Amino acid sequence: MNQLNQIGIGVVANNDFLKSHPDCETTVAGAVAVPEKDTPHEVNNALPKVAILLCTYHGQHYLAEQLDSFQAQSHSNWEVWASDDGSEDDTHAILEAYRRKWPAGRLSIHFGPAEGFAANFLSLTCRASIEADYYAYSDQDDVWESDKLERAVRWLQTVPENIPALYCSRTRLVDAENNEIGLSLLFSKPPSFANALMQNIGGGNTMVFNNGARALLREAGEDTPVITHDWWAYMVVTGCGGKVFYDSYPSLRYRQHDGNLVGMNATWAARFKRIRMLWEGRFRNWNDSNIAGLRKLQHKLTPENRETLERFASARQMSLILRLIHLKRSGIYRQTLFGNLGLIAAAIFGKI
C-alpha cells in the first residue's frame, strides 16, 4: 500500500482492505419493479449514518437493481434521498414502490432542478434538510457491491471529522445485462490538486465523503456552474487540503449502455472523442469554468494550491514558450502517459 503524502492526500489502497461482494437480484413485472419480499437489513444505529444521494432521470430499466443493491449493503445505517429530474417513464413509480416497501425514513423522493445531472447532484449535496455522518453519490443504473459503504466508511472513520475527506474507487465494468466486460483504469499516481485540475480519477458513483467535504461544496453553492459534480468534488477536497483515498478494489458494477449520460472513457473510441473535443476548445472552456468556481473558495485553498491555481490560470494566457514553462512549474499532470502527451499537445496549441 502506498503511503499518504505530506499534505495528507491518500493514494491507491491495498485490495485486502476488505473483501465481501455477493451478487443481488431484483424482480420486474412489466415496466415497474416490484421489490423483493426481503426488506433492508435492520438498521444498526451504532454505525455512522450514510445519506445516499441518488439522482434519477428516465431510469426505469435498471433502477430497481440499483435499489436492491442498497438493500444488500453490509453497512445497514443508510437512507436514500432520491432527486428525480423530470422523468416521464416509470422511474417515479419504482421509487414509490420501494418507499412503501421499505421502513419509514429509508427513502424520500424529491424533484430536481431539471438543469442536468451535475446540477441535480449539487442540489442534493446542498440540501440543508439532509443530515448524516457521510454522503454517497449514486447513479441510477449501477449495482453496488455489498461492502461498498462498509469499505468507504471504514476509511473515512480514520480521518478526523474536521478534515475534508473523500473516498472513491475503481469500478467493475458490466454490460446492459450486468455481464462483466472489464475493469476501469487503475490509477497509480497520487491524487492531488495538480492532478484534479486536469482530470477526475474517481467516478461520482463510487464517491463517499464526510461533512468536512460537504461543507466546502455547500459553501461554493449549488449554483456553481460545474462540468461534473464528481470532478468538482475532487478539485475542492484536494484544493482545500483534504484527504482523498482512491481504492483499487472495484466497489461497484458500472453499467455501460446506450442510455448512459456519462460512460467509461477508457476505450480508444472515447479517447478519440476526447481529442476531438480538445481541438474544438471544450477542454479550455471547462478549465475556464473550473477556475471561476475554485476562486469562490480561494480563501479555503491551501497556500500551495492557491499558487498552483494562479500559476495555471496565468500560464494559459501567455505566449507559447512562457506558457509551457509556467504550466510545467504549476505541476499539473494526468495519470497516464497518453493523457500527459495529450496535455502537452493541448498546451502547445493553446487548447488548455
Side-chain angles (χ1 to χ4, degrees):
M1 180 185 296
N2 293 319
Q3 300 297 313
L4 303 183
N5 68 15
Q6 291 182 348
I7 62 172
I9 296 180
V11 293
V12 178
N14 191 303
N15 276 334
D16 292 330
F17 187 78
L18 183 64
K19 293 183 178 179
S20 174
H21 42 85
D23 294 332
C24 51
E25 300 178 350
T26 187
T27 302
V28 176
V32 179
V34 178
E36 296 282 352
K37 65 180 180 180
D38 293 334
T39 56
H41 295 152
E42 183 176 349
V43 177
N44 181 352
N45 290 315
L47 297 173
K49 179 191 286 187
V50 180
I52 299 174
L53 309 181
L54 169 66
C55 288
T56 61
Y57 181 69
H58 291 166
Q60 67 177 20
H61 295 298
Y62 309 110
L63 178 58
E65 196 170 6
Q66 174 70 307
L67 293 170
D68 285 340
S69 73
F70 299 163
Q71 180 172 308
Q73 288 298 298
S74 56
H75 182 96
S76 62
N77 193 6
W78 52 264
E79 59 186 23
V80 180
W81 293 73
S83 180
D84 186 68
D85 229 14
S87 296
E88 296 178 349
D89 61 358
D90 286 318
T91 296
H92 195 79
I94 294 169
L95 290 171
E96 283 289 353
Y98 277 81
R99 186 185 63 80
R100 291 192 300 268
K101 178 65 178 179
W102 286 350
R106 275 295 210 179
L107 170 61
S108 60
I109 305 170
H110 308 271
F111 295 103
E115 296 176 358
F117 71 93
N120 199 7
F121 275 108
L122 283 188
S123 73
L124 277 178
T125 306
C126 296
R127 184 181 287 268
S129 57
I130 302 178
E131 295 183 359
D133 298 294
Y134 304 113
Y135 307 85
Y137 284 141
S138 174
D139 293 344
Q140 65 189 2
D141 47 7
D142 302 319
V143 178
W144 286 8
E145 303 291 8
S146 64
D147 58 352
K148 179 188 187 303
L149 291 181
E150 183 178 350
R151 294 178 66 85
V153 168
R154 179 171 294 186
W155 176 76
L156 287 163
Q157 287 182 301
T158 68
V159 182
E161 293 182 2
N162 63 319
I163 297 178
L166 173 70
Y167 169 97
C168 58
S169 80
R170 199 178 187 188
T171 60
R172 195 176 307 281
L173 308 180
V174 299
D175 62 18
E177 283 71 47
N178 197 18
N179 299 308
E180 186 174 342
I181 56 177
L183 295 170
S184 65
L185 289 174
L186 178 62
F187 297 124
S188 58
K189 295 181 180 179
S192 70
F193 183 61
N195 178 226
L197 284 173
M198 292 294 97
Q199 69 179 131
N200 179 37
I201 63 170
N205 52 1
T206 74
M207 286 183 170
V208 187
F209 51 94
N210 68 359
N211 274 300
R214 187 193 182 210
L216 291 171
L217 296 170
R218 290 189 67 191
E219 181 174 341
E222 61 183 290
D223 60 341
T224 303
V226 304
I227 308 306
T228 63
H229 60 290
D230 46 7
W231 190 9
W232 176 239
Y234 180 35
M235 283 188 287
V236 166
V237 174
T238 53
C240 297
K243 293 186 178 183
V244 171
F245 183 82
Y246 172 75
D247 192 351
S248 59
Y249 168 78
S251 68
L252 59 80
R253 303 174 73 82
Y254 184 12
R255 200 185 304 266
Q256 308 295 296
H257 59 88
D258 292 340
N260 272 10
L261 289 176
V262 179
M264 184 61 199
N265 60 8
T267 65
W268 282 105
R271 287 169 176 156
F272 284 123
K273 180 180 179 180
R274 291 204 305 277
I275 291 173
R276 187 179 71 249
M277 291 166 62
L278 173 70
W279 291 114
E280 292 172 350
R282 196 86 59 88
F283 188 47
R284 185 174 179 83
N285 292 338
W286 290 350
N287 286 328
D288 288 339
S289 295
N290 290 339
I291 291 169
L294 287 166
R295 282 183 169 149
K296 295 175 68 174
L297 290 173
Q298 189 155 338
H299 62 292
K300 291 292 182 70
L301 297 177
T302 67
E304 177 186 357
N305 290 332
R306 196 178 304 125
E307 181 179 354
T308 296
L309 177 63
E310 291 309 316
R311 278 188 178 275
F312 172 61
S314 299
R316 298 171 70 235
Q317 314 302 325
M318 295 178 178
S319 59
L320 175 59
I321 300 302
L322 288 176
R323 181 165 67 245
L324 294 176
I325 291 173
H326 283 268
L327 286 174
K328 175 68 174 177
R329 288 177 178 173
S330 74
I332 58 172
Y333 65 92
R334 290 178 65 89
Q335 288 282 335
T336 66
L337 175 61
F338 185 88
N340 282 310
L341 290 174
L343 188 59
I344 293 172
I348 292 173
F349 290 99
K351 301 295 184 178
I352 199 172

